[in-house]
Amino acid sequence: MVEKQQKGRKRIKLGLFAAALSILSLAVVGCGNKDGGKKSEGGKSEISYALWDKEQAVVFKEIAKDFEEENPDIKIKLEVTPWAQYWTKLETAITGKNAPDVFWLNIPKSTDYIESGVVEPLNDYKLDTSAFPKQYIESYTHEGKLYGIPKDFDTNGLWYNKKIFDDAGVAYPDDTWTWDTWLETAKKLTDEDKGIYGMATPVTWQGGYYETIYQNEGQPFTKDGKKSAFDQPATIEGVEYWHKFSEQGSAVPVETMASTTQSELLQAGKVAMAVDGSYMTPVFFKEDYGLKNIDVAPLPKGKKRATTSNALANVMSAHSKNKESAAKWIDYLSSEKVNKKIAESGVVIPAREGTQDAWINSYKDKNIKVFVDAVEYAVPLPNNKNGMSAIAIETEIFNEAWMGNKTVKEASEEYAKKANELLSK
């Protein structure tokens, strides 16, 4: 899918990395110990902390300073790498037995990393997880062992351009909207002569047809994660609904979506609505146009209300030589104090329950509370083995349906067969 500027969260980058991780796992066996590893000047334990967002890095520098004042025997070294290079650098470091002690991991990549022995189980470190949403803790739990503590999460909403609605005399989206309302309104707001479309429907999974698949009570993979569910009726119907905007002429043409992003179109007044994540909040409201003309509503309801959700977690390298100190750092990052500080930054929604108010209040006249409320019906992104490898081939196949060369059903069934080959490896 098209990479978007998303500050604290890029849409998940796709790639075939499971095989590489199986090799990496050979490098981590027997490499770690509880503590007594790398020391900084003055004999302090040095904990390296890898992240990819430079805006969050500003906040984490302050958090690290506070931690060091409370733990004078530990020094935190931040390693900030842009998203485009983050995973390659991390996997190279793991191979060279020089991985950061603590690093960011996301849900879709978690199982491949965990099963490859790259990540340290955290059960022995007595970390409190009671204040974190159950579905995110479960996403980082494998065979009864906990491997990560959630640091923040995202959910999706229906972003909309108020000016387009106002000019057309149409009421803004709200929590009463259904799939029928969504389609009808998109059609009303489309004015091809002016180059304005009702809805952006990129051919993409996260923030795309996965939303409508789950809303239709479908699923992208079988419950055991071993097979694709794109040959099942509820899943196919979910994709077909996403495609209906194109069928009725209310979606941004696929050729246009290939050369720009929906966020750019929304801010340019060329599309009325787009599904996107909470991570877009600081992007849309950075400029005066967004503050004046952009807002967000809950996703319309299909058979049920649903949104995909990703949660980043702080995880420990299995071959860290400073594991006790690394655990102290993870525990500190999970504290109420730190999560409130992250919320105040306004960049991402902290995962710890009861700390999100400061994030909501960062834009008091905007309806961003919908993203926090969405946790109630949020479905974590898939994290099955080789799942990302299967997802990586989706867009090419479904583009054929969006270009009119195949039906959605034909593309779905073709994809299911090819995905199953990858999932069986």
Side-chain angles (χ1 to χ4, degrees):
M1 69 197 74
V2 178
E3 289 292 336
K4 299 181 181 181
Q5 182 188 11
Q6 294 182 347
K7 301 303 178 184
R9 185 72 46 78
K10 295 276 186 179
R11 284 205 190 278
I12 307 305
K13 185 177 181 181
L14 306 180
L16 300 173
F17 57 89
L21 282 175
S22 66
I23 297 172
L24 298 181
S25 65
L26 299 176
V28 303
V29 177
C31 294
N33 56 49
K34 288 293 183 181
D35 238 345
K38 186 174 181 180
K39 303 290 184 181
S40 64
E41 291 183 14
K44 297 180 180 181
S45 294
E46 183 176 275
I47 298 300
S48 51
Y49 182 48
L51 58 157
W52 62 69
D53 182 26
K54 64 180 181 180
E55 291 201 8
Q56 287 192 64
V58 175
V59 182
F60 279 104
K61 283 180 182 178
E62 297 175 4
I63 293 169
K65 183 178 178 181
D66 293 341
F67 174 81
E68 289 170 352
E69 289 178 357
E70 294 182 24
N71 299 272
D73 58 331
I74 304 173
K75 179 176 176 57
I76 304 299
K77 178 185 177 184
L78 267 61
E79 298 180 356
V80 184
T81 305
W83 168 265
Q85 293 84 41
Y86 179 84
W87 300 105
T88 300
K89 181 179 177 181
L90 178 61
E91 291 162 14
T92 299
I94 292 169
T95 303
K97 302 181 182 180
N98 192 34
D101 297 287
V102 180
F103 57 91
W104 287 2
L105 188 61
N106 61 34
I107 290 174
K109 291 181 181 282
S110 60
T111 296
D112 287 327
Y113 271 71
I114 290 167
E115 291 192 352
S116 297
V118 169
V119 185
E120 173 79 2
L122 299 176
N123 301 68
D124 292 342
Y125 299 97
K126 298 180 174 61
L127 303 176
D128 183 15
T129 63
S130 61
F132 296 89
K134 182 181 178 182
Q135 67 263 50
Y136 302 137
I137 292 297
E138 289 177 349
S139 293
Y140 288 99
T141 300
H142 187 69
E143 296 182 351
K145 294 182 179 180
L146 176 68
Y147 287 87
I149 306 295
K151 65 168 289 291
D152 66 68
F153 68 85
D154 63 58
T155 57
N156 293 291
L158 186 64
W159 292 93
Y160 61 94
N161 187 304
K162 296 194 294 183
K163 186 177 186 303
I164 296 176
F165 276 79
D166 291 342
D167 290 347
V170 176
Y172 300 150
D174 59 30
D175 62 3
T176 67
W177 273 33
T178 64
W179 274 14
D180 288 340
T181 319
W182 197 0
L183 278 171
E184 291 165 4
T185 305
K187 194 168 185 177
K188 286 180 184 178
L189 296 172
T190 298
D191 187 336
E192 291 190 53
D193 292 338
K194 294 181 180 179
I196 296 174
Y197 293 88
M199 184 66 195
T201 56
V203 187
T204 189
W205 61 302
Q206 183 191 8
Y209 45 78
Y210 272 33
E211 314 306 314
T212 49
I213 285 172
Y214 285 118
Q215 290 169 7
N216 198 51
E217 299 181 345
Q219 55 190 1
F221 299 99
T222 56
K223 287 185 178 180
D224 62 8
K226 294 181 179 180
K227 288 188 176 182
S228 171
F230 272 82
D231 54 0
Q232 297 180 2
T235 300
I236 295 171
E237 289 166 9
V239 183
E240 286 176 336
Y241 176 81
W242 190 247
H243 187 253
K244 280 184 180 179
F245 293 96
S246 294
E247 289 179 8
Q248 69 173 16
S250 62
V252 177
V254 66
E255 297 86 357
T256 302
M257 290 303 305
S259 60
T260 188
T261 66
Q262 60 185 20
S263 61
E264 291 169 342
L265 293 169
L266 197 67
Q267 293 175 99
K270 292 300 182 181
V271 69
M273 297 176 285
V275 174
D276 222 328
S278 49
Y279 39 72
M280 293 302 293
T281 298
V283 178
F284 284 134
F285 300 147
K286 179 175 63 176
E287 305 293 344
D288 289 342
Y289 183 89
L291 286 169
K292 182 179 179 181
N293 296 299
I294 306 295
D295 210 339
V296 66
L299 292 181
K301 184 179 180 181
K303 289 180 181 177
K304 67 177 184 179
R305 199 174 293 282
T307 173
T308 59
S309 180
N310 190 21
L312 302 191
N314 290 305
V315 301
M316 186 192 304
S317 168
H319 63 276
S320 169
K321 295 180 173 61
N322 297 297
K323 290 183 178 178
E324 291 292 347
S325 296
K328 280 187 179 181
W329 174 234
I330 292 175
D331 188 45
Y332 186 78
L333 293 174
S334 307
S335 67
E336 181 179 11
K337 177 175 70 173
V338 167
N339 276 254
K340 284 184 175 180
K341 191 175 185 72
I342 291 169
E344 289 166 1
S345 73
V347 180
V348 292
I349 309 173
R352 188 182 177 99
E353 293 172 341
T355 65
Q356 292 104 7
D357 284 352
W359 184 84
I360 294 170
N361 292 331
S362 61
Y363 297 99
K364 292 184 179 180
D365 60 340
K366 299 298 182 181
N367 195 28
I368 59 176
K369 187 174 182 292
V370 300
F371 293 116
V372 177
D373 292 342
V375 171
E376 181 181 343
Y377 51 84
V379 182
L381 292 174
N383 64 345
N384 50 320
K385 185 177 180 181
N386 294 329
M388 290 299 288
S389 298
I391 290 169
I393 67 171
E394 284 182 11
T395 300
E396 181 179 355
I397 294 171
F398 283 104
N399 268 338
E400 291 295 302
W402 258 254
M403 295 296 292
N405 299 326
K406 291 179 177 149
T407 66
V408 169
K409 186 174 186 292
E410 288 169 343
S412 297
E413 292 174 344
E414 177 187 341
Y415 167 71
K417 291 178 182 178
K418 292 183 177 179
N420 285 337
E421 293 174 6
L422 294 168
L423 293 169
S424 66
K425 293 181 179 179

